[in-house]
């Protein structure tokens, strides 16, 4: 009987060990490192307490990157939501043929690595030999500096991120739409409801839990974005596409300031934790009300 009490803990031990080794231990170690000033030569570290955290607020570069990350998420999340929901509605429409082929086509960008995605769009958006600018030349239009203008580069990343992620969230929306009882649509048709009314008063309300899940996952994914802007724009022009995660990377491995980078990472962790808790509360309330 005593052994049976420990059986659940035995099964939990591998997962807990992995969580302890790869999550808890690095997090605690990172917080300890944030209390030190590490010289560029990686010599003897000097304990500075919370001075690294104070220096973050004295110099606005990381705060600007964090604000830029929030702005990016505010643009990307609604775009992904609309794209993925639109594709899901298209893929569940009875009038659309070859749905299996189209689903694979739309889902394919989400399985590509960020590096491959960045290289594809670098070829598409290049000012001198990019596909889009060559098409503009053929049409008699002037070339656009997609990756050379700060505003264009930022908006290009919004569209690229939306293109890369929408296929994955399309699958989630398809599952949500297919779980809606067809009797609701049949009753609405009997009452003379239009297609728009059925979408507004049946589909959207019934997709509330799915919508919350999509918003949570896309927010986390957009705020952690690193590989695509790092490869495609290098954070430029200037720092117009340098987001919070890349700022931490540059501070640690370009400026070789591990203490300051660890402090930035811990602040970023607190921001993500706050957002996650808020979204979790909204998710619980949304499931209760759905």
């Amino acid at each position: 009987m005593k052994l049976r009490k420990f059986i659940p803990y035995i099964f939990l031990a591998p997962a807990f060990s992995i969580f302890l080794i790869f999550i808890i231990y690095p997090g605690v170690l990172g917080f300890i490192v944030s209390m030190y000033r590490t010289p560029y030569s990686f010599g003897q570290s000097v304990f500075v307490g919370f001075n690294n955290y104070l220096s973050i607020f004295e110099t606005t570069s990381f705060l600007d990157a964090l604000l830029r990350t929030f702005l990016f998420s505010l643009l990307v999340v609604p775009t992904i939501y609309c794209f993925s929901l639109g594709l899901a509605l298209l893929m569940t429409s009875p009038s659309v043929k070859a749905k299996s082929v189209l689903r694979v086509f739309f889902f394919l960008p989400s399985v590509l690595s960020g590096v491959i995605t960045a290289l594809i769009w670098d070829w598409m958006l290049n000012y001198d030999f990019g596909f889009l600018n060559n098409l503009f030349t053929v049409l008699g239009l002037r070339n656009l500096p997609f990756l050379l203008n700060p505003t264009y580069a930022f908006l290009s990343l919004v569209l690229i991120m939306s293109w890369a992620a929408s296929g994955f969230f399309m699958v989630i929306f398809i599952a949500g739409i297919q779980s809606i009882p067809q009797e609701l649509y049949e009753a609405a048709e009997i009452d003379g409801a239009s297609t728009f009314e059925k979408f507004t008063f049946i589909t959207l309300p019934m997709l509330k839990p799915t919508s919350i899940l999509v918003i949570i996952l896309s927010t986390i994914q957009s705020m952690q974005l690193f590989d695509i802007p790092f490869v495609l724009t290098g954070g430029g022009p200037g720092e117009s596409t340098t987001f919070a995660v890349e700022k931490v990377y540059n501070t640690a491995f370009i400026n070789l300031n591990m203490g300051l980078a660890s402090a930035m990472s811990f602040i970023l962790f607190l921001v993500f934790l706050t957002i996650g808790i808020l979204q979790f509360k909204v998710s619980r309330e949304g499931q209760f009300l759905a």
Side-chain angles (χ1 to χ4, degrees):
M1 291 296 294
K2 290 184 178 180
L3 181 61
R4 292 183 61 182
K5 293 181 180 180
F6 290 99
I7 289 178
Y9 299 102
I10 294 174
F11 283 105
L12 287 174
F16 181 76
S17 300
I18 293 173
F19 180 76
L20 185 66
I21 294 172
F22 293 102
I23 303 296
I24 300 298
Y25 173 72
V28 173
L29 184 62
F31 179 73
I32 294 173
V33 172
S34 71
M35 296 291 180
Y36 288 83
R37 183 176 69 247
T38 307
Y40 293 103
S41 60
F42 287 90
Q44 185 65 35
S45 299
V46 180
F47 182 79
V48 294
F50 288 96
N51 284 349
N52 284 326
Y53 293 91
L54 295 176
S55 63
I56 290 175
F57 294 98
E58 291 173 357
T59 58
T60 60
S61 58
F62 176 72
L63 298 179
D64 290 341
L66 191 58
L67 182 62
R68 198 176 298 117
T69 304
F70 281 125
L71 177 60
F72 180 76
S73 295
L74 287 175
L75 293 176
V76 165
V77 172
T79 307
I80 290 176
Y81 182 89
C82 293
F83 280 2
S84 56
L85 179 57
L87 291 175
L89 292 172
L90 187 66
M91 292 299 97
T92 53
S93 174
S95 60
V96 176
K97 307 299 181 182
K99 293 178 183 177
S100 299
V101 176
L102 290 175
R103 287 180 184 180
V104 172
F105 177 77
F106 290 131
F107 182 74
L108 185 61
S110 64
V111 302
L112 297 177
S113 70
V115 175
I116 299 300
T117 299
L119 292 176
I120 291 173
W121 283 96
D122 183 47
W123 171 72
M124 293 280 289
L125 302 177
N126 189 278
Y127 184 80
D128 296 315
F129 55 82
F131 173 79
L132 289 180
N133 278 322
N134 283 339
L135 181 62
F136 290 161
T137 302
V138 172
L139 296 175
L141 304 173
R142 65 182 181 88
N143 290 8
L144 290 179
F146 291 107
L147 304 178
L148 303 176
N149 179 279
T151 302
Y152 287 165
F154 189 88
L155 294 177
S156 296
L157 283 175
V158 171
L159 293 177
I160 292 170
M161 176 69 182
S162 303
W163 173 82
S166 293
F168 171 76
F169 295 110
M170 173 197 71
V171 175
I172 297 177
F173 271 125
I174 289 176
I177 292 173
Q178 290 177 341
S179 66
I180 299 175
Q182 291 299 312
E183 292 81 0
L184 297 176
Y185 294 105
E186 294 171 359
E189 288 181 1
I190 294 174
D191 292 337
S194 63
T195 302
F196 178 76
E197 289 174 335
K198 286 187 287 186
F199 171 74
T200 304
F201 297 108
I202 298 177
T203 306
L204 274 183
M206 295 298 293
L207 285 178
K208 192 172 184 180
T210 307
S211 298
I212 293 173
L213 175 64
V214 168
I215 292 172
I216 291 174
L217 294 179
S218 59
T219 300
I220 295 172
Q221 189 174 354
S222 63
M223 294 199 69
Q224 293 180 339
L225 183 65
F226 170 76
D227 45 6
I228 295 177
F230 181 78
V231 175
L232 185 61
T233 64
E239 289 195 342
S240 59
T241 58
T242 301
F243 302 117
V245 176
E246 186 175 352
K247 189 66 178 178
V248 174
Y249 173 87
N250 292 338
T251 303
F253 299 107
I254 304 299
N255 300 330
L256 302 180
N257 194 336
M258 292 294 176
L260 184 60
S262 297
M264 291 178 178
S265 299
F266 192 75
I267 290 177
L268 204 56
F269 163 73
L270 293 178
V271 171
F272 288 163
L273 180 63
T274 303
I275 294 174
I277 291 173
L278 291 175
Q279 290 182 330
F280 179 75
K281 288 178 66 66
V282 172
S283 174
R284 291 288 297 271
E285 292 174 2
Q287 291 177 359
F288 178 76
L289 295 174

